[in-house]
Amino acid sequence: MLREIIEFFLPPLCMTCDNLKDGEFFCKDCLTEILRSRIFPPFCKKCGRNLKKHKCSVKLNYIDEVFAIFNYTEKVRDLIENYKFKRYTNLANFFAPFVLEHLEKIVPEFDIITFVPLHPSRERERGFNQNEIILDKLSKQIKTKYKKDILIRIKPTKSQAKIEVLEKRRKNVENAFRVLLSEEIKDKRILILDDVFTTGSTIEECAKVLKQKGASKVYALCIATSS
């Protein structure tokens, strides 16, 4: 009864528009649009887009392959921003099944999975790491090692989304990461989960320090790609 009263005065709205939602998160129209933005193989190894539908200009030296779940459409952007900046952490329940599907069916075999870390000051400000929450939810279903403490961010950086010039993006994250437990990654294939792939500067820097410490392969799985 209490729930019905609350919903009468505060009706549940779609996460990406002002319409009443039909399911747990979205109205029917928004869910349809979001699912329409999914990416299917074959993937471009450099940016995660469907290989047949674009010409890639991304240049990566350390990441071996990039995979992405969604194109970074307006609806997907709103969804990710709500998740990260409005603290709608229950949206991790929406993302998790798509991540798991990619892990089981699409991404090459890997030995360790981790995520792009936030600087401690940014994580305190936000209250959580959006990628960590997703992997926490999947931890019992992931068959390989899930390690939280492989990478740390040692330099507070500006938001990459606010930097338009590629070279400035690279400089922003240069020397921003450090590998812990380097003995555990030697000759291992590492998969990094991130939210949005744009230029690849952040995951490139992560991959660089991982390979410097002996990782044999580094893959990236991103929720969305805007490249």
Side-chain angles (χ1 to χ4, degrees), residues 143-171:
K143 298 176 182 179
T144 52
K145 283 187 178 179
Y146 165 37
K147 301 289 291 185
K148 297 187 179 189
D149 48 4
I150 292 294
L151 285 168
I152 59 171
R153 192 183 294 238
I154 58 174
K155 186 175 81 171
T157 56
K158 296 178 181 178
S159 170
Q160 291 285 78
K162 297 179 180 179
I163 304 173
E164 296 183 1
V165 180
L166 173 59
E167 192 56 38
K168 289 185 178 180
R169 280 177 172 256
R170 289 174 177 163
K171 286 290 184 183

Side-chain angles (χ1 to χ4, degrees), residues 116-210:
V116 175
L118 298 174
H119 189 268
S121 61
R122 180 68 59 81
E123 190 159 351
R124 284 194 299 270
E125 177 185 338
R126 187 175 298 171
F128 62 95
N129 181 313
Q130 66 276 9
N131 299 308
E132 181 180 7
I133 291 178
I134 293 172
L135 290 184
D136 283 349
K137 289 184 178 295
L138 296 175
S139 59
K140 293 181 180 179
Q141 297 165 273
I142 297 172
K143 298 176 182 179
T144 52
K145 283 187 178 179
Y146 165 37
K147 301 289 291 185
K148 297 187 179 189
D149 48 4
I150 292 294
L151 285 168
I152 59 171
R153 192 183 294 238
I154 58 174
K155 186 175 81 171
T157 56
K158 296 178 181 178
S159 170
Q160 291 285 78
K162 297 179 180 179
I163 304 173
E164 296 183 1
V165 180
L166 173 59
E167 192 56 38
K168 289 185 178 180
R169 280 177 172 256
R170 289 174 177 163
K171 286 290 184 183
N172 185 47
V173 294
E174 188 175 18
N175 301 318
F177 301 97
R178 178 183 296 166
V179 175
L180 300 179
L181 306 176
S182 56
E183 67 281 359
E184 292 196 24
I185 68 166
K186 186 172 175 58
D187 300 321
K188 295 293 192 296
R189 298 161 296 182
I190 314 296
L191 176 64
I192 306 171
L193 180 67
D194 199 9
D195 49 14
V196 181
F197 181 99
T198 304
T199 63
S201 300
T202 300
I203 56 170
E204 259 287 88
E205 191 66 21
C206 291
K208 181 178 78 173
V209 297
L210 286 167

Side-chain angles (χ1 to χ4, degrees), residues 47-49 66-73 76-85 95 116 126 130-131 134 153 159-161 169 192-204 220-227:
C47 72
R49 279 190 179 275
V66 176
F67 301 87
I69 299 170
F70 298 102
N71 286 305
Y72 195 58
T73 60
V76 173
R77 181 201 66 200
D78 291 345
L79 182 59
I80 292 174
E81 289 185 353
N82 283 338
Y83 178 41
K84 291 169 62 174
F85 304 123
F95 292 123
V116 175
R126 187 175 298 171
Q130 66 276 9
N131 299 308
I134 293 172
R153 192 183 294 238
S159 170
Q160 291 285 78
R169 280 177 172 256
I192 306 171
L193 180 67
D194 199 9
D195 49 14
V196 181
F197 181 99
T198 304
T199 63
S201 300
T202 300
I203 56 170
E204 259 287 88
L221 173 58
C222 302
I223 301 299
T225 178
S226 66
S227 173

Side-chain angles (χ1 to χ4, degrees), residues 39-45 47-54 65-68 106:
I39 304 171
F40 295 96
F43 296 99
C44 172
K45 292 185 177 182
C47 72
R49 279 190 179 275
N50 182 277
L51 190 61
K52 296 180 179 180
K53 297 183 179 180
H54 90 121
E65 282 189 70
V66 176
F67 301 87
I106 295 175

